[in-house]
Structure formats: C-alpha cells, structure tokens
Amino acid sequence: MHLTVAFDLDFSLCCGQVFRWQKTGDTWYGVIGETVLKIRQVGNELEFEGAKEEFVRHYFGLNDDLTHIRLCVAKDSFIKKALTQFEGLRLIRQDPWSCLIGFICSAYKNIAAIEQMLKKLSEKYGKKQVFDGKEFYLFPTIESLAWASESGLRECGLGYRAKYVQLTARKILEEKIDLNALKGRSYLDARKQLLEFYGVGLKVADCVLLFSLEKFEAFPVDVWVKRVILNHYADQLPSEMVKKMQSHNSLTNGEYLKIGEFARGYFGRYAGYAQEYLYHYERTQR
C-alpha cells in the first residue's frame, strides 16, 4: 500500500499506546481482536498480510488529517519539537475490550511488564492461531475472563489487578454493556461509564477513551506527562496547585482534572494527540 500521508510505523507502535506487538527484524506482528497482522514499512510503502487495506487504514489512523491536527496543537516551541521529532506518529484504533483490560493491568507497571502480563493472559485464556508459521494467541473473550478464577488470573502475573479484571468482565457480561457504543456518547458521558468499572480511575479511563473510543480530547496524565506540565506549562496553572504538585509524586483527582481542563483549553479538540507526542518526547529524552 502506497502512503500519501505522513506515517511512521515504529513511532506509532513504540509510544506506549499498544502492548501486543512484537518486532522481528524490520517486521511487526500484532494481535488485534481476532486478527493477526504482519506489517512492515519501507519508505512510503506499507507491506502487510492478515488484513485488508481498509482495516489497516482504520487501525493505524491513516484517515486522520494529521497535517490539520499538528497545526491545531502546535501552540509553543516545546510541542513543536515533539511534533518534528516524531513526525508520522498516529493514534491507533484499538479494540475497546482489550484496551480496557490492558490499561487496568497497566497500573504501576512499566511497558515491558504490561506486555508480559497480557501475553500470559492470552496464552492461558485466549484462542491459539497459527499465522506465518508462528503461534499467536488472541485476546481472551469477555466470557473467558468473567468466569476465570482469581487465582488463575494471578498466575498470569496480574496480582491485585486479577480481581479488577474478573469483576469488570462480569459486569460487562451480566449488564450486556456494549463498549463500542461509547464512541457515540460525549467524552464526559463515556468517561463516567468507564469509571464504573473495577480498577478504572481517571487515567485508565482517559487511555481507553483516547486509544480505542476516538475521544481525541482525552488527556491521560501519568508521571511523564505530569513532568511535562510542571517543566513547560506550569505558568498556565494556578501557582498554589503547581506547588502542591511539586511536593508529591502522585496526583490527586482534583489535580488530574485541572490538568485535563487546561490541556483541552490550550491544545483544543486534539489534546490527546498532543499528549501522545509530549509523552513520547519526554520519555525518550532521558
């Protein structure tokens, strides 16, 4: 497939938004719902197997007007550096179910540990699929995790998150909740629904909203983004709040909400795109 828009496969898959991709040589293998995709980029060409072009375009956000988005969020010299360094980074359209469980598992874990947890979870509860001579495991269904034992989930390295995963799966199953339907609701309404799930706080909710439900105004805040805000945007926030944020490592819900409000006001409707560039830039400068 010939690319006529800016896209960088490596940047998009290495920026912390996905956990079930592995690179072999110059080729990436990923499990997306019930699809196993093999893909590599050679200049302006994408070579792939396992899915149709329409699927690939949608999944990698190739229909997003990245030129327009960049113009909208390029408000200062700092983010302009991030936009330039990671040109072609796009927000991926994940499956909401696997995205939700993935970010519930992400609490207080680094990316490598999250990847390992989800790999074990899929091997234990997911369906095996052979593709390109390799074994892959699809992400477990809602039913399989709803009826999994807590001890079985803990064996996958989930720790205390095991109970959250089990209870969230059961809630979705028993209440017949359609996660995809949240795309049609407002950002605040969809966030309110997600916060009703076990193990979902403001940051996890924003990650699910941004990476799977197309709520580009969502602005997830973790330790890296907090550092960006304090180092480069502190003058945009109340001084007392900044002092309190500097005095402790975590974020209160009130501080989190204030940062989100600032980001949406400052960067606009594509604040989530700004977040991903800022997050990845800050993380890779050290």
Side-chain angles (χ1 to χ4, degrees), residues 7-45:
F7 177 58
D8 192 291
L9 181 64
D10 286 352
F11 290 162
S12 300
L13 291 177
C14 292
C15 63
Q17 59 177 320
V18 289
F19 305 118
R20 300 213 61 212
W21 282 86
Q22 296 294 325
K23 194 175 188 183
T24 303
D26 63 352
T27 300
W28 287 93
Y29 290 89
V31 181
I32 310 158
E34 296 187 354
T35 298
V36 180
L37 181 64
K38 173 185 179 182
I39 188 167
R40 74 173 186 148
Q41 182 172 9
V42 182
N44 288 327
E45 298 293 329

Side-chain angles (χ1 to χ4, degrees), residues 15-238:
C15 63
Q17 59 177 320
V18 289
F19 305 118
R20 300 213 61 212
W21 282 86
Q22 296 294 325
K23 194 175 188 183
T24 303
D26 63 352
T27 300
W28 287 93
Y29 290 89
V31 181
I32 310 158
E34 296 187 354
T35 298
V36 180
L37 181 64
K38 173 185 179 182
I39 188 167
R40 74 173 186 148
Q41 182 172 9
V42 182
N44 288 327
E45 298 293 329
L46 281 182
E47 301 171 359
F48 55 87
E49 295 176 35
K52 294 182 179 178
E53 180 175 323
E54 183 181 354
F55 180 95
V56 172
R57 284 190 175 279
H58 175 76
Y59 180 76
F60 287 107
L62 294 176
N63 296 320
D64 293 349
D65 188 345
L66 196 55
T67 300
H68 174 67
I69 291 168
R70 287 165 58 92
L71 286 172
C72 289
V73 302
K75 301 291 188 178
D76 56 76
S77 60
F78 184 70
I79 193 168
K80 285 177 182 177
K81 290 177 185 175
L83 291 167
T84 299
Q85 182 153 334
F86 296 110
E87 184 176 2
L89 186 161
R90 289 175 179 267
L91 291 181
I92 288 171
R93 306 295 198 277
Q94 298 180 47
D95 162 64
W97 159 244
S98 58
C99 186
L100 173 61
I101 297 303
F103 280 101
I104 288 175
C105 290
S106 74
Y108 302 107
K109 287 287 186 179
N110 61 35
I111 291 174
I114 302 164
E115 290 174 343
Q116 194 61 26
M117 268 193 286
L118 297 180
K119 179 176 182 289
K120 289 180 179 178
L121 196 67
S122 298
E123 288 174 351
K124 188 176 179 72
Y125 297 104
K127 181 182 177 183
K128 183 170 78 171
Q129 192 161 309
V130 177
F131 174 78
D132 200 34
K134 305 174 186 292
E135 287 186 358
F136 296 90
Y137 289 83
L138 304 183
F139 196 78
T141 62
I142 297 169
E143 291 81 3
S144 64
L145 294 189
W147 303 121
S149 67
E150 188 178 341
S151 60
L153 293 170
R154 283 181 176 271
E155 288 171 3
C156 299
L158 271 64
Y160 68 86
R161 304 162 194 81
K163 191 70 174 175
Y164 297 155
V165 168
Q166 181 193 63
L167 291 174
T168 290
R170 287 183 181 178
K171 181 178 176 69
I172 293 172
L173 185 64
E174 292 166 3
E175 298 180 18
K176 297 181 173 61
I177 296 170
D178 180 4
L179 293 173
N180 277 296
L182 295 179
K183 292 177 183 177
R185 293 169 64 175
S186 71
Y187 164 68
L188 291 177
D189 282 350
R191 185 176 73 182
K192 184 179 179 182
Q193 170 79 71
L194 289 173
L195 289 171
E196 294 178 4
F197 293 123
Y198 299 93
V200 176
L202 290 167
K203 188 245 180 179
V204 169
D206 273 340
C207 287
V208 177
L209 289 162
L210 181 59
F211 301 136
S212 71
L213 294 171
E214 301 178 11
K215 303 302 180 189
F216 295 140
E217 64 266 56
F219 193 83
V221 184
D222 68 351
V223 63
W224 295 106
V225 177
K226 177 185 174 183
R227 191 175 295 167
V228 167
I229 296 297
L230 288 177
N231 290 343
H232 303 281
Y233 300 98
D235 60 339
Q236 305 276 352
L237 299 169

Side-chain angles (χ1 to χ4, degrees), residues 233-278:
Y233 300 98
D235 60 339
Q236 305 276 352
L237 299 169
S239 58
E240 283 302 312
M241 177 182 159
V242 170
K243 287 178 184 176
K244 287 181 181 178
M245 286 172 57
Q246 289 170 334
S247 69
H248 53 82
N249 293 326
S250 58
L251 275 178
T252 66
N253 282 347
E255 290 166 348
Y256 186 101
L257 291 170
K258 283 288 187 184
I259 291 173
E261 288 171 9
F262 151 69
R264 281 181 281 282
Y266 184 73
F267 294 113
R269 60 183 294 201
Y270 298 110
Y273 252 103
Q275 185 272 357
E276 197 60 16
Y277 276 89
L278 292 170

